[in-house]
Amino acid sequence: MRKWKIALGTAVALGAISVASVHLLDMGNVSLNAGTAGAAPAPAAFVMPVPVVSVVKKTIPIYLDYAARTEPIRNITLQARIPGYLQEQTAADGVDVRQGDLLYKISPDDFQAALDQAKAQVQRDTATLDYARSNLGRGTELAKSGYLAKDGFDQRTSTLREAQASLALNQAAVRTAELNLSYAEIRAPFAGRLGRNQASVGTLVSVAGTVLNTLVQLDPIYVTFNPSETDLAQIEQARAAGPIEVEVLLPGETEASQKGELTFIDNTVDRSTGTITARATIGNGKFTLLPGQYVRVRLHVKQQADALMVPQTALGSSQLGKYLYVVGKGNTVDQRLVSLGPTSGDQVAILSGVAEGDQVITGNLQKIGPGMPISPLPEKPAT
């Protein structure tokens, strides 16, 4: 009886354990299902947005660029043509003057006295000539009537000719004195800019010996440069088609401030450098350019039609050369090696590697690479 009770108790205990195990298993399944149902979905992969522009065809100007230097068309040293004391400087140092403006005065007293003397001699010779002419007229009548010998008539004729020669000589002396008196005023032979005065008022100046100042013409002005002999054929071809426009850029400028025309090409090539001297004449009405400045010049030699243009900011560099990132199939990055042509403003011509209509990536270039998925952003219209 006791054994039967022990067996019955064991069976009841085992059943209870089984029921508890099943209940715990069901609770675990419920918890697992609940955890699976509440989990968030995995996030989508990030796609880089990039700005793009289309490759377009344009007609662009073709330039040849050179380093250049400005030179004055006329640059003279102001000197006296007569000796004397410098009386006055009428134009200040460094001012812009017009042709004919008075710059310096030399004391005119001596030259005024010489002029007065020459005029007095002319008056004397005029009176002498009048008397000789009247005397010859009377002698002619007397010679016809036989009251004047031929020798006396010849003397009167000779006296008239001497009076005429003396009058002509003194008239020339008057003109010389007038010129010398006019040289007492030194005037600007052309419009330009004065330099620094080199002779103080009161200086005794000599003829072509004492330097007073310098005068430089600023408008127009020359710009001289040295094209290579390899560019000469292209320049001559452009000259044959018409005048070549030349643009001048000051240091730091990206747009030309002055324009002019190619006016001179030398007749020989320098064998030591392989270059030739050329010169452009540039309008300089605002006096922006001064002689001796270093500038850059651009010669407009022709127009290039149907050039494929892209922004220069889109270019990248590698060991293989220049490249562009282009939107490829499925909005992925396609790397294209390109060869470059001339530039126009902030754009550059592409000779090979892209075609018209290709979408070139212009931004976030450091964050993308070949094959990466991208999200192209449409071009913004120009404002």
Side-chain angles (χ1 to χ4, degrees):
M1 186 65 182
R2 185 179 177 182
K3 292 181 181 180
W4 181 81
K5 288 181 179 180
I6 292 172
L8 181 60
T10 302
V12 172
L14 290 173
I17 292 172
S18 299
V19 172
S21 299
V22 172
H23 179 69
L24 290 175
L25 182 60
D26 290 342
M27 289 298 292
N29 289 336
V30 172
S31 299
L32 181 62
N33 291 336
T36 303
F46 176 73
V47 178
M48 177 66 68
V50 292
V52 297
V53 297
S54 298
V55 178
V56 295
K57 282 185 178 180
K58 293 174 60 178
T59 299
I60 61 172
I62 302 301
Y63 294 98
L64 298 177
D65 290 5
Y66 303 102
R69 192 169 186 174
T70 56
E71 296 179 355
I73 293 179
R74 288 185 283 186
N75 179 12
I76 64 168
T77 299
L78 297 175
Q79 294 176 293
R81 300 180 68 174
I82 56 172
Y85 287 97
L86 189 62
Q87 187 179 62
E88 184 181 359
Q89 178 186 355
T90 58
D93 293 358
V95 299
D96 298 318
V97 297
R98 295 172 297 179
Q99 183 176 357
D101 284 354
L102 181 61
L103 307 179
Y104 289 91
K105 279 185 178 181
I106 295 174
S107 178
D109 297 341
D110 294 343
F111 305 100
Q112 183 64 56
L115 176 59
D116 293 341
Q117 182 180 4
K119 286 182 177 180
Q121 290 175 345
V122 167
Q123 291 176 351
R124 182 194 63 187
D125 291 341
T126 301
T128 301
L129 177 61
D130 290 341
Y131 173 76
R133 188 177 288 116
S134 299
N135 198 26
L136 179 61
R138 289 190 297 270
T140 302
E141 296 298 327
L142 292 173
K144 288 180 180 179
S145 60
Y147 290 101
L148 181 64
K150 186 176 186 307
D151 182 66
F153 179 79
D154 291 342
Q155 273 188 336
R156 295 189 183 194
T157 303
S158 176
T159 300
L160 174 65
R161 291 177 178 174
E162 287 178 358
Q164 290 174 333
S166 180
L167 177 61
L169 179 63
N170 286 313
Q171 285 175 336
V174 168
R175 290 194 294 270
T176 300
E178 288 175 341
L179 282 174
N180 287 335
L181 182 60
S182 68
Y183 294 155
E185 293 184 345
I186 300 174
R187 297 182 177 271
F190 53 83
R193 179 172 294 178
L194 277 177
R196 183 179 57 187
N197 179 51
Q198 300 181 45
S200 302
V201 172
T203 300
L204 178 61
V205 298
S206 58
V207 178
T210 306
V211 175
L212 304 179
N213 209 322
T214 57
L215 179 64
V216 176
Q217 180 178 342
L218 297 181
D219 182 31
I221 195 169
Y222 285 147
V223 175
T224 303
F225 54 98
N226 299 96
S228 65
E229 57 184 334
T230 56
D231 294 339
L232 187 57
Q234 192 172 3
I235 294 174
E236 291 293 354
Q237 184 179 3
R239 288 183 76 190
I244 297 180
E245 183 184 69
V246 178
E247 298 180 352
V248 178
L249 290 85
L250 294 172
E253 286 186 342
T254 57
E255 294 294 332
S257 55
Q258 277 93 9
K259 295 183 180 181
E261 182 180 329
L262 180 67
T263 53
F264 169 76
I265 294 181
D266 208 351
N267 54 8
T268 55
V269 175
D270 189 336
R271 291 182 296 178
S272 61
T273 61
T275 61
I276 190 169
T277 301
R279 188 173 65 202
T281 303
I282 307 296
N284 190 32
K286 296 182 179 180
F287 301 153
T288 307
L289 299 175
L290 294 177
Q293 280 184 279
Y294 286 100
V295 295
R296 293 200 63 82
V297 295
R298 297 193 305 185
L299 275 64
H300 183 198
V301 292
K302 64 179 179 179
Q303 296 284 110
Q304 179 175 331
D306 298 331
L308 299 176
M309 306 300 294
V310 300
Q312 297 188 51
T313 55
L315 288 172
S317 298
S318 68
Q319 293 180 344
L320 299 178
K322 297 292 184 179
Y323 65 85
L324 291 170
Y325 283 144
V326 179
V327 178
K329 294 182 179 180
N331 284 346
T332 57
V333 177
D334 186 11
Q335 187 180 38
R336 305 273 185 90
L337 294 176
V338 295
S339 57
L340 306 182
T343 60
S344 177
D346 59 353
Q347 294 189 319
V348 60
I350 303 300
L351 303 181
S352 64
V354 295
E356 184 181 9
D358 283 348
Q359 298 290 302
V360 175
I361 301 172
T362 60
N364 291 334
L365 301 178
Q366 304 299 325
K367 301 177 182 179
I368 59 176
M372 285 184 57
I374 52 173
S375 175
L377 301 177
E379 298 181 56
K380 294 181 180 180
T383 57

